[in-house]
Amino acid sequence: MRAARLIKMVLLLQARPSITGAELARELEVSERTVTRDAAALSEAGVPVYADRGRAGGYRLIGGYRTRLTGLGRTEAEALFLSGVPSALREMGLADAASAARLKVSAALLPELRDASHTVAQRFHLDAPGWWQEPQTPSLLPDVADAVWDDRRLTVRYRRRDTEVDRELEPYGLVLKAGVWYLAARVRASGGSQADFRVYRVDRLTTVGPAPGEGRFRRDETFDLPAFWEERAAQFARSILREEVTVRLTPEGARAVRHVMDRTAVEEAVRSAGEPDGEGRITVTLPVESAEVAYAQLLALGPEAEVLAPPELRERFATAARRMNDLYR
């Protein structure tokens, strides 16, 4: 346990010019006194850890000291090779760079760990696209990925409904969601002012080219791509649920409806429902995209769901039930 902590401490010191004892204690989840003892142990072992005293002090490595990755255990090495997504790297044009990086990491590992990439590839594989979809790589994805890596401004033409619009973008990040690539970018408005971050489907970009003037932009270091995507995805889900339906659900229906409608909306509706009636059914009001979409979703629940409102949707289900009865009578 202590050996792993000491290795992590060295790697933290390598990653930063200087780090305080309090920061190290927080990262390592130990006391500052333990940090002091660990620094002394590293120094005795030949790792040149230097402690600066005073309020602005901290710990640092001297002499440009670097350690090789010989401290990795098998589980850590395998997790490192698992972290890549081969199909996504290939689509972005980074397969060769990733292969070179894996070879360099393998060369730095202890001999008994160099089969880690092979053992992981035999056991885990990520297939990003959804079922019954033919995955198609957007032809302009490598160009967009290059601009994301280099913080390079782009001028793009984007297909939006029946029209195309021109935009100057600062490309911040790419997201692969269910086989579809999305670009998170900040728009350059007229006069050089910056607009909010927006999301673009990469397969709807018809042209991509360098922006005029200075090629690079200054990245906002506070931008958090996972947090941004999570927030925008939740906003999108809420924005399309514009109508409501009232439904009586059996216990089985209450469990199954989570698999055919927006899970978050369903769970909120079920939590706010009253007590079950004499038949064990609960009445819930569910936000839906439209009556047409709700019909297709709730039809999958069969007799486990009874639509109460709106009246026209209830009548549509009654008609469907009569037709089903005629078929199976």
Side-chain angles (χ1 to χ4, degrees), residues 249-300:
L249 297 170
T250 65
E252 176 60 28
R255 288 189 291 270
V257 71
R258 293 173 168 84
H259 302 295
V260 298
M261 305 184 79
D262 181 77
R263 178 180 292 270
T264 301
V266 167
E267 290 176 350
E268 290 178 357
V270 170
R271 281 197 300 269
S272 61
E275 293 296 319
D277 60 20
E279 298 179 0
R281 293 175 177 252
I282 59 172
T283 300
V284 296
T285 299
L286 299 170
V288 296
E289 184 174 348
S290 66
E292 186 69 28
V293 172
Y295 175 77
Q297 293 171 328
L298 294 172
L299 195 63

Side-chain angles (χ1 to χ4, degrees), residues 45-61:
V47 178
V49 179
Y50 182 79
D52 290 315
R53 305 298 180 185
R55 294 184 60 184
Y59 294 88
R60 60 186 175 88
L61 295 175

Side-chain angles (χ1 to χ4, degrees), residues 139-160:
S139 59
L140 297 175
L141 178 62
D143 296 330
V144 175
D146 283 344
V148 169
W149 280 115
D150 293 340
D151 295 339
R152 193 172 64 250
R153 292 192 184 95
L154 290 175
T155 54
V156 304
R157 181 173 286 267
Y158 186 72
R159 187 174 67 255
R160 190 172 62 186

Side-chain angles (χ1 to χ4, degrees), residues 138 140 157-161 163-165 181-182 200-207:
L140 297 175
R157 181 173 286 267
Y158 186 72
R159 187 174 67 255
R160 190 172 62 186
R161 298 184 182 88
T163 63
E164 291 189 352
V165 295
W181 284 96
Y182 297 89
Y200 299 87
R201 280 184 58 144
V202 177
D203 59 1
R204 292 181 184 170
L205 296 174
T206 58
T207 63

